[in-house]
Amino acid sequence: MKKLIASLTALNILVALLCLIVGSSGVFGVDVFLRVVSGVAKESDISIFFGVRLPRLILAMIVGASLSASGCAMQALFRNPLAEPYVLGVASGASVGAAIVYVLGIATMSNILISAFVFALLTSFTVYKLGSLARFRDQNYAILLAGIAIATTLSGLTSLLIYFSAQSMHKVVFWIMGSLSNPRWEEVYFSLPIAFFGILFLLLNSWNFNALLLGEEHAMAVGLNVENFRRYLIGTVSLLTASAVAVSGVIGFVGIIVPHTMRLMVGEDYRKLLPATILFSTIFMPLVDLASRISTAGEIPVGALTALLGGPFFLYLLWRR
Amino acid sequence: MKLKVENVTVKIESKEILKDVTLEVESGEIVALLGPNGSGKSTLLRTIFGILKPVKGVVFFDGKRIEKIEEISKNVAYLPQESSDTNLTVLDVVLLGRTPHLSGFKLPKSYDLEISKKALEEVGMIEFAGRKFSELSGGEKQKVLLARVFAQQPKLMLLDEPTAHLDISAQIEIMEIVRRKVNSGCSALVAMHDINLASMFSDKIIMVKNGKVVYVGEAGEVLTEESIREVYGADVRIKKVGRSVYVIPKTRVKRNGKIVHVICGGGSGRDLIYLLSEEGYSISAGVLNVLDSDWEAIIDVGGEFVEEAPFSPISEEAHEKNLELIEKADVVVLSNLVVGKGNIRNLIAAKIAAELGKLIVVEKTRFELRNFFGKQAEKIYEEIVKRARVVGSEREALYEIRKVLG
């Protein structure tokens, strides 16, 4: 485990450096990089470095960590390996929020962010409420079903909104696909505190996740107040994913690919799995993002890339057994 | 720890699942909770553990009320009936039992690790510590979950069907482990399905039906044909084995109204009695010595019979009664019995049956080989054989009876 943590940390540094020196505007040589870091570089180099690449790297790490840690947590709560952070309807809620802003013609960066964030939270709250009010023996199952129902309704609504958004149609669609282009420091300031405290909460509850793995009755049997824990957990995951989606759009499958890869390496014990997942996500997400911005002359949405990776990964999980 | 449940009523969605339940478990006691599916056993355990809140009534642990699960779980361990599969290691699963005793960020210390390992030793699973839980067999999983319960260092254990889905040796092993734990100063309330296992391992039995406690007491007094018919709606026979009770289902056969009397003894009629009874004939038998295995068989199938004290010769009175039963019967069968001084009257009874023209003789071994009475008996037997149908086995006797009675 210590070895794994050390090598993941080393890889993190390596990937971070790679993302800072490689970009669509070209590769920084070592000399340029050193000059930028020491503050004596050309103005244009400095603005590319601090204005674009650094915030983009940080956002990628935040989004990756938020989605992966949330996915990992949801997989324990629902005791389902295919659970992901979006089961609470956050993605479809955020999409509606963003689309509305575009339709109204008030699409500034901060408007999109706030609208997506608020709609995402409202949606997951509704899903949770509907799920826990349902007369189901298994509350988790009810929440999952409510999530599917709400997400289906909202994606219909999103389609309508896209239809009515006329000229800005491609912008809405592009937003939904998920991308980290045009990074802003404001987005970092917004999402970093949420990510920090949210992920900290999940890490501190690693033991409780273990307790959930045998089933809720068993978790209660060892003294865990499952009802409360579920409430806090869903609240935290909603905040984490809502803020990730608000700054990046809908980037799928990260919440499944990353935790499962780590599960294969460290096993099911959440005291190891959760930290490993977070450390791997901050390698994985910037790397995929890097691929999305340098693979073509323009830029392809990173959400499309993760979805492309997601399919084969599922097949791998399917065939492994 | 002493558990006291007082007038507890529990409702789930306005339906009363438990009605005014009162019970006690003394420390050092295993109390078995028996009742059919849906009688409220699991609900009772969950209510005691604080997962469900009663609408009426109180649960006392050593005379104290404890409401919060976090607090209850420090002294009481609950083993639910179902569990999910997990890839956690066996040791990690057992470590979860330490949760109620962990403070702060809930990081188990080396002390907790020691307790968990000891718990694994108690259930004999220490060499499985590093294995994945999901890869174990049903019995092994159940033992690991028991170790999880032990790691909690409980004073009271609430076990919900810990032997469900297990094979017979695993069932016994699990119950023996529970017994050892209780003997070392703990108490246990165990919901069970297997009445025999319950009577073997419990100090007291509580029978519930439709959410109500209907019988409480020791196995020997509580488990009767009547109580089981009332609680489970099943017809059974009960045999006492040592201080426990053995329950056997009664086969439900339609009686055809025909009576077959079997003259037997010393185990020679046992197979015949069961065979004919399963065919639907009403059986009577005589004269039998008490505690003889033929005597047990006739009690089992519930027929009329004439008995004599163990190892005593057949009295005049018993012989007369036997003749009465022969008179009543449609067919009489003489089993392949051994004849001696004590039961020579059975041979005489058979001769009378033969004279009435309704005797079938089962001769599996030659009469000389089983005659310890002498010449006189041989003469009687010769007389009998002249007027009866002789067959070589119980099965043949059955075919013969079918022919005669249709």
Side-chain angles (χ1 to χ4, degrees):
Chain A
M1 183 65 194
K2 273 185 189 147
K3 258 190 197 163
L4 183 75
I5 295 284
S7 43
L8 283 176
T9 311
L11 272 174
N12 258 297
I13 296 168
L14 223 65
V15 168
L17 285 175
L18 189 69
C19 287
L20 289 176
I21 59 172
V22 180
S24 50
S25 57
V27 179
F28 284 170
V30 176
D31 52 332
V32 183
F33 181 72
L34 287 177
R35 255 181 281 147
V36 168
V37 175
S38 50
V40 292
K42 277 188 294 179
E43 189 116 343
S44 63
D45 284 344
I46 290 182
S47 85
I48 287 176
F49 187 86
F50 286 108
V52 181
R53 289 186 187 171
L54 187 59
R56 184 160 187 159
L57 168 68
I58 297 175
L59 275 181
M61 291 172 102
I62 290 174
V63 169
S66 300
L67 294 178
S68 306
S70 298
C72 200
M74 290 287 102
Q75 283 144 25
L77 179 66
F78 292 108
R79 280 187 303 290
N80 186 334
L82 299 185
E84 55 158 357
Y86 299 143
V87 291
L88 299 168
V90 167
S92 43
S95 302
V96 170
I100 285 178
V101 173
Y102 280 108
V103 169
L104 294 178
I106 49 166
T108 62
M109 188 277 290
S110 56
N111 281 353
I112 298 171
L113 191 153
I114 291 167
S115 176
F117 183 69
V118 169
F119 269 88
L121 280 187
L122 279 177
T123 308
S124 68
F125 181 73
T126 312
V127 166
Y128 173 71
K129 271 288 160 203
L130 287 177
S132 31
L133 290 177
R135 285 192 171 187
F136 253 78
R137 215 189 124 91
D138 186 343
Q139 221 58 66
N140 287 326
Y141 196 55
I143 292 173
L144 271 179
L145 283 179
I148 291 171
I150 296 286
T152 309
T153 314
L154 289 183
S155 73
L157 190 58
T158 310
S159 298
L160 279 181
L161 286 167
I162 291 172
Y163 183 75
F164 287 119
S165 57
Q167 300 100 317
S168 44
M169 183 189 279
H170 72 282
K171 288 185 191 159
V172 186
V173 173
F174 194 73
W175 186 91
I176 290 174
M177 281 179 179
S179 167
L180 292 161
S181 58
N182 304 322
R184 303 284 186 85
W185 278 106
E186 288 86 346
E187 292 176 315
V188 174
Y189 300 147
F190 171 79
S191 56
L192 188 60
I194 296 177
F196 178 79
F197 287 108
I199 290 171
L200 187 67
F201 173 84
L202 297 183
L203 281 172
L204 291 181
N205 278 289
S206 305
W207 187 255
N208 292 341
F209 288 120
N210 276 1
L212 278 179
L213 294 178
L214 278 173
E216 283 187 15
E217 289 273 304
H218 283 271
M220 288 188 238
V222 295
L224 179 66
N225 188 330
V226 173
E227 200 56 49
N228 276 344
F229 182 56
R230 177 168 38 221
R231 198 173 300 139
Y232 290 131
L233 184 59
I234 285 180
T236 306
V237 166
S238 302
L239 277 170
L240 278 173
T241 43
S243 98
V245 172
V247 298
S248 68
V250 182
I251 298 176
F253 297 102
V254 181
I256 294 179
I257 297 174
V258 176
H260 276 299
T261 309
M262 285 300 105
R263 210 167 253 132
L264 296 177
M265 300 187 71
V266 304
E268 194 75 38
D269 183 356
Y270 269 65
R271 289 172 297 166
K272 296 174 190 159
L273 177 59
L274 212 45
T277 295
I278 292 161
L279 277 178
F280 182 53
S281 70
T282 51
I283 299 168
F284 177 82
M285 198 65 228
L287 215 51
V288 180
D289 183 47
L290 182 69
S292 85
R293 63 191 152 107
I294 60 168
S295 53
T296 57
E299 174 164 346
I300 53 171
V302 66
L305 262 190
T306 55
L308 275 179
L309 287 174
F313 188 79
F314 268 117
L315 289 180
Y316 166 70
L317 284 183
L318 188 68
W319 285 334
R320 195 165 59 94
R321 296 190 179 192
Chain B
M1 174 179 263
K2 185 179 168 170
L3 168 73
K4 197 171 178 190
V5 176
E6 239 176 52
N7 306 103
V8 161
T9 299
V10 172
K11 277 187 184 174
I12 297 176
E13 290 180 5
S14 79
K15 199 178 157 217
E16 276 193 6
I17 308 292
L18 295 179
K19 295 161 196 159
D20 211 24
V21 169
T22 296
L23 62 90
E24 278 181 35
V25 178
E26 299 289 338
S27 73
E29 235 180 24
I30 296 182
V31 176
L33 204 53
L34 288 178
N37 294 323
S39 57
K41 301 190 296 289
S42 297
T43 306
L44 179 56
L45 294 182
R46 300 176 84 223
T47 306
I48 294 170
F49 193 68
I51 295 174
L52 296 170
K53 300 280 173 243
V55 290
K56 209 184 98 215
V58 202
V59 176
F60 292 105
F61 301 104
D62 273 340
K64 280 189 300 249
R65 287 178 72 162
I66 313 175
E67 305 263 326
K68 280 195 166 174
I69 278 190
E70 291 91 326
E71 290 304 311
I72 294 175
S73 59
K74 284 179 184 166
N75 293 310
V76 183
Y78 163 55
L79 181 63
Q81 201 182 119
E82 304 288 338
S83 63
S84 305
D85 241 347
T86 166
N87 287 328
L88 280 180
T89 64
V90 165
L91 186 60
D92 281 336
V93 168
V94 178
L95 260 174
L96 283 174
R98 297 302 302 155
T99 310
H101 304 284
L102 302 178
S103 51
F105 295 136
K106 296 190 181 171
L107 294 175
K109 314 207 171 27
S110 59
Y111 167 75
D112 299 302
L113 207 64
E114 285 312 306
I115 291 176
S116 304
K117 282 185 181 161
K118 222 187 111 220
L120 269 176
E121 270 164 22
E122 276 181 77
V123 300
M125 291 288 289
I126 187 70
E127 61 272 34
F128 289 73
R131 290 266 295 274
K132 278 185 186 173
F133 182 75
S134 56
E135 289 166 356
L136 304 183
S137 74
E140 289 164 348
K141 278 180 188 166
Q142 206 59 23
K143 279 190 270 178
V144 170
L145 291 176
L146 259 190
R148 193 274 285 157
V149 164
F150 293 174
Q152 225 166 318
Q153 296 182 312
K155 293 178 190 138
L156 168 68
M157 299 186 283
L158 306 169
L159 311 176
D160 199 348
E161 289 181 33
T163 58
H165 319 303
L166 299 185
D167 63 43
I168 179 88
S169 84
Q171 287 183 13
I172 293 171
E173 200 182 350
I174 292 279
M175 289 315 292
E176 277 173 347
I177 292 170
V178 171
R179 170 49 78 189
R180 275 204 299 277
K181 191 71 187 174
V182 168
N183 287 348
S184 71
C186 185
S187 44
L189 181 58
V190 190
M192 295 180 86
H193 258 316
D194 191 320
I195 302 175
N196 300 328
L197 205 62
S199 84
M200 238 173 110
F201 284 99
S202 64
D203 300 296
K204 203 165 81 186
I205 284 181
I206 295 177
M207 291 177 93
V208 286
K209 187 197 177 189
N210 296 332
K212 281 186 191 156
V213 172
V214 280
Y215 292 99
V216 181
E218 276 179 33
E221 28 183 282
V222 172
L223 295 173
T224 60
E225 291 180 13
E226 294 74 41
S227 72
I228 288 168
R229 193 178 308 119
E230 188 191 331
V231 173
Y232 289 93
D235 281 324
V236 296
R237 292 195 309 267
I238 297 241
K239 270 191 178 178
K240 299 209 172 183
V241 182
R243 55 173 278 284
S244 63
V245 171
Y246 200 74
V247 176
I248 311 150
K250 263 188 199 162
T251 41
R252 288 176 195 161
V253 192
K254 248 191 158 168
R255 296 286 142 206
N256 55 20
K258 299 286 195 317
I259 304 170
V260 178
H261 183 80
V262 183
I263 300 172
C264 54
S268 62
R270 201 176 157 274
D271 290 352
L272 204 53
I273 289 170
Y274 285 121
L275 189 66
L276 295 176
S277 175
E278 280 162 23
E279 279 294 308
Y281 296 110
S282 297
I283 313 296
S284 63
V287 174
L288 300 170
N289 287 108
V290 172
L291 292 180
D292 175 318
S293 66
D294 289 347
W295 177 81
E296 282 177 358
I298 191 71
I299 291 178
D300 264 1
V301 305
E304 268 189 272
F305 62 96
V306 187
E307 65 183 10
E308 191 55 79
F311 306 109
S312 312
I314 297 168
S315 64
E316 181 63 40
E317 192 193 348
H319 181 60
E320 286 299 321
K321 270 199 205 156
N322 200 14
L323 293 181
E324 277 169 36
L325 290 181
I326 287 170
E327 189 90 30
K328 271 205 316 202
D330 298 297
V331 170
V332 178
V333 184
L334 174 67
S335 74
N336 193 52
L337 45 59
V338 176
V339 175
K341 210 170 158 193
N343 67 348
I344 185 66
R345 279 191 158 134
N346 271 347
L347 204 64
I348 295 166
K351 187 172 162 247
I352 294 168
E355 281 159 5
L356 291 172
K358 45 181 166 182
L359 187 71
I360 294 171
V361 176
V362 179
E363 191 179 288
K364 289 163 94 174
T365 43
R366 293 205 327 269
F367 186 71
E368 303 97 86
L369 299 176
R370 41 193 174 89
N371 176 15
F372 296 92
F373 191 78
K375 256 307 182 241
Q376 207 182 337
E378 218 156 289
K379 266 191 187 151
I380 301 174
Y381 192 74
E382 272 165 27
E383 289 287 306
I384 290 173
V385 170
K386 271 184 215 160
R387 289 184 198 146
R389 298 174 192 80
V390 181
V391 294
S393 73
E394 284 85 6
R395 276 266 156 224
E396 280 176 44
L398 174 64
Y399 300 145
E400 205 56 44
I401 292 168
R402 277 199 201 136
K403 257 191 255 167
V404 176
L405 297 178

